[in-house]
Amino acid sequence: MTHDSADTDGATDETHTDTISEYEAQLNAVLEDIDETPADESDVSLELPTLGLNRRDFMKAGAAAGVMGSLAGCTSLAGSTNSGSENTPHSSSGDVPSHIVPPGEHDEYYGFWSGGHSGDIRIYGLPSMRELTRIPVFNPEQAKGYGFDKKTSDMLEEAGDYTWGDSHHPSLSETDGKYDGEYLYVNDKAHGRVARVNLTYFETDAITNVPNVQSVHGCCIQSPDTEYVFANSEFRTPLPNDGRDINNPDKYVSLFTALDPESMEVLWQVEVDGNLDILDTDKDGRWAIASAYNDEEGVEIEEMTKNDRDFVKAFDVPAIQKAVDAGNYKEVNGVPVVDGTKSSSLNKGDNPIVRYIPTPKSPHCVEVEPNGKYAMVAGKLSPTVSIIDIEKLGSASDPKDTIVGQPKLGLGPLHTTYDGRGHAYTSLFIDSQVVKWDIETAVNSPKKSEDAILGKIDVHYNPGHIQAIQAMSTEPTGDWLVVLNKLSKDRFLPVGPIYPDNDQLLYIGNDKDNETGGMELVSDHPVYPEPHDAIFASKDKISPAKTWDAADYEGEKEYVKESNSRVERIDDETVEVYTSVKRSEYGLRDFTVKQGDEVTLTATNVEGSQDIVHGIAIPEHNVHLALAPQDTRQATFTADKPGVYWVYCTYFCSALHLEMRSRMIVEPRE
Ligand code: K7E
Ligand code: CUA
């Protein structure tokens, strides 16, 4: 090896030590600030006498623990300092139903995972946690031919022509507060986009590149009837971002955006103060509630975390729609932008369009519980969750009074989910735990009390979202819960320096008076980077098609029968090729075009049987179509070089799959 190990490792060790102390100092500085009781807002201040971070607490902050592991050159160090296993109760009670689904049997639930910066949506079965398929959304993906056929490549191109995205928050369409199995919507944090997945075909069918924003983070449908899709822009930018105000960060804005769930067009936007983060709605079609950080409107971390509180924004949707209908907006890049900043005239008086609710320090999530009574806002840099009484949003004269409870739960609360029995479950990122707590007890206890806590369980490690079955709808089932842990460290065989995440399945169906409140850890699942959130629906809510219905694309694309397979020359440089596809032959066993022709290929899989998928690969021309039964796809390419090009089927479809080929002959142009 040419690697100079002594020198390099020495330098690296020093870097690691610096990194650890820097991170420690940064986190301490941020958390220490919470101790300072602000002069005016004593109601929202936090006194945390017990929050002196000791070494163990610090080690729980995962990034640093990982660094410690490699510093010692010993992967087990991270495990031994932070395994938590010494006090993890095991599933030994015998009253947890099996999570194992026998061969040939089906899971009870669908799980839709966001793929994070993989850009996709992944479908799992629960409780087995078997990955069933992936739906490419923001990422061109060859196995399903996504981004290779005309429809999907045009769609990706029109949505900005990026080759990746960062999907975080999948949201299922609802009718009457229940999942209706029609669509799933998801954000792209990277490029400020919102996509829709059609749940009949399990395929992305629309992507909207939202104007005036750089990043969409929070994203959800409006309960109970999916009248809107909402999207929070996270990063503040000048409006419009065209070179103006580049050196005036106080003029940057974030926008709350409403889209039409059918047309996927942007309807309007609302400008607010501070960064917007996560989003959820009430169950009555009035309030959309967004967490937020950086109300300091800083551009560097020290500025962003300076104040002891930030403002949750509650958007009065009908009031905003009224302002838009009345023409009370400015138009920016074709979109009506309503002024929802604190100083806006629309926020004066008794019926502000946006309520600014002071909550402790950089709150991260908002999750409305299934009854629609409360919205939980997790503290992130505060050890509390703030409980907002949704009914009070419209009536309280002081927005502060909408906060009716603030249990102290542990370090780094990020996300909350529900079992439908009055309990909430909150992930504790820094503590690497899930805490179960009683909602009404929290409301009836003094702020910062721990009385509502029913139990805690160690998870591995550093959980972000947690989600229980159907907890985002009005019908939680209260049996299974998934914890999406950001780090896996010692839990799996090592696979190189980029680790899988660890999604853990918990059973929450037994309420018990024990250390964990009855939560039981059932299984670990390594996942490819990096899911953020998931949403689960009972199997009877989703009815995927088994084959395509050609009527669904009639008038857009020809259904090419075997008898109609043909080559049509349109002009001297344009050729259309039509072929049927079935086991084990293409309607055209060969076809001839001329060098330089622009070729548009249209192909139909004429099979009627389920699961007989064929591919069409023309490798040198970067063509790959995946054709489900009864589907038709198109691809356009240039036949730039003369020669013989084998076209082959990529899906192993029959005993004669290898023989399933065609020949494209490209004649030299004289
Ligand atoms: Cu908490 Cu994007 Cu929902 Cu990740 S976000 S964790
Ligand atoms: Cu068709 Cu292989």
Side-chain angles (χ1 to χ4, degrees):
M1 288 187 53
T2 54
H3 179 69
D4 186 347
S5 60
D7 277 10
T8 313
D9 285 354
T12 311
D13 275 1
E14 238 168 67
T15 314
H16 286 169
T17 315
D18 287 353
T19 309
I20 290 172
S21 38
E22 262 173 38
Y23 179 73
E24 186 166 21
Q26 196 175 59
L27 192 62
N28 273 334
V30 162
L31 292 170
E32 264 162 24
D33 271 356
I34 303 171
D35 289 335
E36 290 165 21
T37 307
D40 46 354
E41 298 272 10
S42 58
D43 261 344
V44 295
S45 75
L46 280 173
E47 292 131 38
L48 291 179
T50 59
L51 191 61
L53 274 190
N54 61 29
R55 192 76 195 160
R56 182 165 184 273
D57 286 330
F58 167 64
M59 287 304 296
K60 284 185 164 183
V67 173
M68 282 300 282
S70 50
L71 173 64
C74 162
T75 48
S76 65
L77 178 65
S80 62
T81 52
N82 189 21
S83 73
S85 52
E86 68 275 4
N87 52 10
T88 300
H90 295 281
S91 324
S92 52
S93 56
D95 50 6
V96 172
S98 175
H99 66 287
I100 294 165
V101 175
E105 290 187 18
H106 289 182
D107 278 288
E108 271 308 299
Y109 304 110
Y110 282 95
F112 300 86
W113 261 246
S114 64
H117 44 276
S118 292
D120 54 10
I121 291 288
R122 296 134 187 220
I123 318 294
Y124 288 58
L126 269 84
S128 76
M129 297 284 281
R130 296 179 296 189
E131 184 175 308
L132 304 176
T133 192
R134 295 184 181 187
I135 303 171
V137 179
F138 301 113
N139 53 319
E141 197 270 339
Q142 68 267 31
K144 289 193 167 176
Y146 181 76
F148 289 79
D149 75 300
K150 191 168 172 358
K151 185 172 81 177
T152 58
S153 66
D154 285 357
M155 182 173 69
L156 285 168
E157 201 180 306
E158 280 162 28
D161 212 10
Y162 305 109
T163 53
W164 73 290
D166 190 0
S167 60
H168 282 219
H169 299 113
S171 183
L172 290 169
S173 60
E174 292 178 8
T175 301
D176 199 20
K178 304 172 173 71
Y179 301 142
D180 59 23
E182 288 212 21
Y183 292 112
L184 177 147
Y185 300 86
V186 68
N187 71 303
D188 173 11
K189 166 160 164 148
H191 305 106
R193 297 182 292 179
V194 177
R196 182 177 67 191
V197 172
N198 172 319
L199 292 179
T200 301
Y201 292 118
F202 274 49
E203 182 177 83
T204 306
D205 73 355
I207 305 177
T208 299
N209 200 346
V210 179
N212 303 326
V213 310
Q214 196 163 92
S215 162
V216 166
H217 193 207
C219 176
C220 69
I221 60 108
Q222 185 193 46
S223 284
D225 288 315
T226 322
E227 306 265 343
Y228 299 91
V229 176
F230 296 124
N232 271 350
S233 80
E234 182 179 356
F235 305 145
R236 300 171 64 247
T237 50
L239 180 70
N241 194 4
D242 59 359
R244 74 187 69 191
D245 297 329
I246 45 182
N247 291 315
N248 297 320
D250 55 314
K251 292 222 168 133
Y252 301 176
V253 304
S254 347
L255 298 168
F256 168 75
T257 300
L259 296 96
D260 181 308
E262 283 300 321
S263 70
M264 288 294 280
E265 274 165 26
V266 172
L267 300 169
W268 41 257
Q269 298 181 307
V270 182
E271 176 184 344
V272 296
D273 295 315
N275 286 35
L276 291 168
D277 198 7
I278 315 268
L279 188 59
D280 199 3
T281 75
D282 69 0
K283 306 289 186 195
D284 298 316
R286 178 164 180 194
W287 297 100
I289 305 166
S291 59
Y293 62 102
N294 190 25
D295 273 275
E296 300 85 347
E297 308 204 322
V299 287
E300 291 175 14
I301 183 166
E302 293 78 10
E303 299 163 359
M304 294 187 197
T305 53
K306 208 164 117 213
N307 297 347
D308 74 299
R309 43 115 181 81
D310 292 275
F311 292 90
V312 163
K313 281 93 182 165
F315 297 89
D316 187 339
V317 175
I320 294 165
Q321 185 65 58
K322 230 170 101 186
V324 173
D325 295 343
N328 214 334
Y329 58 81
K330 64 180 169 190
E331 195 172 306
V332 185
N333 287 319
V335 181
V337 179
V338 178
D339 186 359
T341 57
K342 284 183 194 160
S343 56
S344 164
S345 60
L346 293 167
N347 280 334
K348 306 281 175 239
D350 289 344
N351 295 303
I353 59 164
V354 184
R355 303 220 85 185
Y356 284 72
I357 303 152
T359 40
K361 224 168 164 73
S362 304
H364 182 52
C365 84
V366 177
E367 280 108 4
V368 172
E369 51 85 30
N371 296 320
K373 198 165 174 215
Y374 301 118
M376 311 304 176
V377 179
K380 189 171 78 184
L381 301 182
S382 147
T384 60
V385 165
S386 298
I387 303 176
I388 293 174
D389 184 329
I390 291 174
E391 216 178 86
K392 290 204 157 91
L393 285 172
S395 59
S397 52
D398 185 342
K400 250 187 350 211
D401 298 339
T402 63
I403 297 181
V404 295
Q406 206 165 64
K408 182 172 153 189
L409 300 172
L411 291 185
L414 285 191
H415 291 283
T416 300
T417 191
Y418 309 98
D419 61 14
R421 301 189 301 273
H423 310 129
Y425 301 76
T426 299
S427 59
L428 301 173
F429 180 83
I430 298 177
D431 277 343
S432 280
Q433 288 184 316
V434 170
V435 52
K436 175 180 176 180
W437 51 284
D438 186 84
I439 297 170
E440 286 304 329
T441 307
V443 170
N444 294 319
S445 307
K447 288 183 181 172
K448 287 163 247 169
S449 130
E450 299 183 351
D451 293 352
I453 295 177
L454 296 168
K456 292 187 178 184
I457 190 167
D458 288 342
V459 293
H460 314 88
Y461 304 93
N462 304 94
H465 278 270
I466 63 175
Q467 194 64 258
I469 308 275
Q470 297 194 159
M472 302 305 281
S473 77
T474 54
E475 303 178 300
T477 61
D479 43 2
W480 304 100
L481 177 152
V482 174
V483 188
L484 287 80
N485 295 288
K486 298 298 185 191
L487 308 191
S488 62
K489 291 195 275 197
D490 55 351
R491 300 294 280 193
F492 305 113
L493 280 177
V495 288
I498 294 188
Y499 283 50
D501 292 10
N502 184 15
D503 289 352
Q504 291 184 303
L505 182 71
L506 266 54
Y507 186 70
I508 56 166
N510 298 324
D511 296 323
K512 280 188 194 160
D513 192 11
N514 62 12
E515 194 189 341
T516 68
M519 292 184 282
E520 306 224 25
L521 175 59
V522 171
S523 59
D524 275 22
H525 298 272
V527 287
Y528 195 70
E530 165 180 291
H532 280 254
D533 194 5
I535 187 164
F536 312 127
S538 175
K539 65 181 177 199
D540 56 21
K541 304 265 182 211
I542 311 286
S543 331
K546 292 199 163 137
T547 70
W548 272 83
D549 182 346
D552 284 353
Y553 55 83
E554 210 181 298
E556 281 169 49
K557 286 179 290 191
E558 178 178 332
Y559 180 97
V560 186
K561 295 189 185 123
E562 195 167 356
S563 57
N564 215 13
S565 298
R566 66 199 188 273
V567 177
E568 264 180 40
R569 177 155 292 279
I570 303 301
D571 61 34
D572 195 39
E573 288 173 336
T574 316
V575 172
E576 290 178 359
V577 177
Y578 296 83
T579 185
S580 63
V581 183
K582 68 172 190 192
R583 273 165 292 181
S584 310
E585 58 185 6
Y586 296 107
L588 294 176
R589 295 187 174 196
D590 57 54
F591 57 92
T592 301
V593 300
K594 280 207 169 66
Q595 176 185 8
D597 276 346
E598 186 188 85
V599 182
T600 295
L601 170 72
T602 303
T604 300
N605 179 348
V606 297
E607 306 251 14
S609 358
Q610 66 177 44
D611 203 16
I612 303 299
V613 184
H614 299 286
I616 296 187
I618 317 177
E620 286 88 343
H621 299 81
N622 203 32
V623 170
H624 180 244
L625 303 180
L627 289 158
Q630 297 294 305
D631 194 9
T632 296
R633 300 272 158 170
Q634 296 176 305
T636 299
F637 59 93
T638 305
D640 47 2
K641 282 193 199 122
V644 172
Y645 300 91
W646 283 105
V647 176
Y648 79 97
C649 174
T650 45
Y651 273 80
F652 204 112
C653 53
S654 71
L656 293 171
H657 157 76
L658 294 178
E659 289 82 354
M660 184 169 171
R661 290 198 252 160
S662 178
R663 248 180 338 142
M664 177 169 76
I665 294 163
V666 182
E667 289 177 341
R669 207 173 270 268
E670 297 307 322

